[in-house]
Amino acid sequence: MGIEFRSGGYVRHVLMGGRTIKDGEAAAIWNVNGVHKQIIGPRRVYMYNSTIRFLTRHKAESHQYICISHRDGRVEHKYGPAVLYQNPALHDSVSVHDGIRLLSENECIVVYNDSKSRADRNSVPKEVEIATPTEEIADTESESGPKCHGEKQRRKVIKGPTLFLPALGETVHEFEWSGRDSDGAFTQSQ
C-alpha cells in the first residue's frame, strides 16, 4: 500500500492474501465462483483465489454532470457535486460533461426534448440554479428540428443568465454560422 491512488488500470489475481482499499478508493472483487462485490474504502479485504480491480473515480463539480451508461441499457445523468466509481460489472461507460453557462440576457439556446423520455428536472440539486424555458413550442414537427425515430419532439428556448444542465432525453441544438470575414475569405463557425 502506497500513497498513490490506484484506478482502473490496476488488476491483479490474488491466490491468497489481502489488499487495503484506502479512503478515496474503490475496488471490484470477483471470487473463484465469479461472484462480484464492490468495496469502497477504507477497508482491508482478505481474498482466496480472487481477482481484484480498482475502479476509476469520476467527479462532477457543481457546474457539471456525470453521464452513466449502465450495462442493462439504461442511461442516467447524475448532477454535481457528485462522485462515481466506474465499475465494469455495472457500467459500460462513464463520462463527465460541463453544463452550458449562459452569461447574459442576450444569450439563449434551443433545446429539444424527446417526447418518449420525459426529462426529470426534479433530480437537479437545489443548490444548482437551473434553466427554465422562457418560450416553449409544443410538439414541433418542423423539417428543421431533429426527430427521434420519427417521433415528435418538444422545443424550448432557454435564455440567460443561467446554467443549463441537460436532463435525460434533452438535446441542445447546434447552430452553424457561415459568412465572409473582413478579408473576403469564407468562414464557418458553430
Side-chain angles (χ1 to χ4, degrees), residues 12 19 34 39 64 69 88 94-95 127 130 132 134 156 166 179:
R12 300 287 189 272
R19 292 288 189 276
I39 309 289
Q64 298 174 316
S69 295
V94 175
S95 57
E127 305 86 46
I130 60 168
T132 54
T134 57
K156 300 184 282 188

Side-chain angles (χ1 to χ4, degrees), residues 82-141:
V83 172
L84 180 83
Y85 294 98
Q86 183 175 355
N87 190 332
L90 306 175
H91 310 121
D92 279 335
S93 67
V94 175
S95 57
V96 178
H97 301 276
D98 289 330
I100 299 172
R101 191 174 303 274
L102 302 173
L103 298 175
S104 72
E105 294 177 3
N106 298 329
E107 296 180 336
C108 66
I109 57 175
V110 176
V111 177
Y112 292 95
N113 185 0
D114 180 9
S115 62
K116 283 189 174 183
S117 63
R118 294 288 176 204
D120 184 13
R121 288 248 160 243
N122 297 327
S123 62
V124 178
K126 300 289 185 228
E127 305 86 46
V128 176
E129 177 188 343
I130 60 168
T132 54
T134 57
E135 173 185 347
E136 188 163 337
I137 305 161
D139 299 329
T140 306
E141 292 187 68

Side-chain angles (χ1 to χ4, degrees), residues 18-107:
R19 292 288 189 276
T20 299
I21 302 165
K22 298 187 292 280
D23 194 10
E25 288 182 331
I29 300 173
W30 290 268
N31 67 12
V32 69
N33 297 324
V35 177
H36 162 266
K37 65 179 173 180
Q38 178 174 318
I39 309 289
I40 297 177
R43 191 156 163 204
R44 176 79 176 163
V45 180
Y46 295 95
M47 296 170 280
Y48 171 74
N49 203 14
S50 300
T51 301
I52 184 169
R53 176 179 177 165
F54 280 81
L55 306 177
T56 303
R57 181 177 182 261
H58 296 274
K59 174 189 74 153
E61 296 178 3
S62 61
H63 64 281
Q64 298 174 316
Y65 65 98
I66 302 173
C67 183
I68 308 159
S69 295
H70 294 274
R71 298 211 24 118
D72 62 4
R74 291 178 297 124
V75 177
E76 176 185 0
H77 286 182
K78 191 171 186 179
Y79 298 97
V83 172
L84 180 83
Y85 294 98
Q86 183 175 355
N87 190 332
L90 306 175
H91 310 121
D92 279 335
S93 67
V94 175
S95 57
V96 178
H97 301 276
D98 289 330
I100 299 172
R101 191 174 303 274
L102 302 173
L103 298 175
S104 72
E105 294 177 3
N106 298 329
E107 296 180 336

Side-chain angles (χ1 to χ4, degrees), residues 136-162:
E136 188 163 337
I137 305 161
D139 299 329
T140 306
E141 292 187 68
S142 67
E143 294 299 319
S144 61
K147 290 186 179 180
C148 180
H149 307 294
E151 294 292 323
K152 295 179 183 177
Q153 292 192 339
R154 299 176 64 89
R155 180 174 61 191
K156 300 184 282 188
V157 176
I158 297 176
K159 294 185 178 181
T162 190

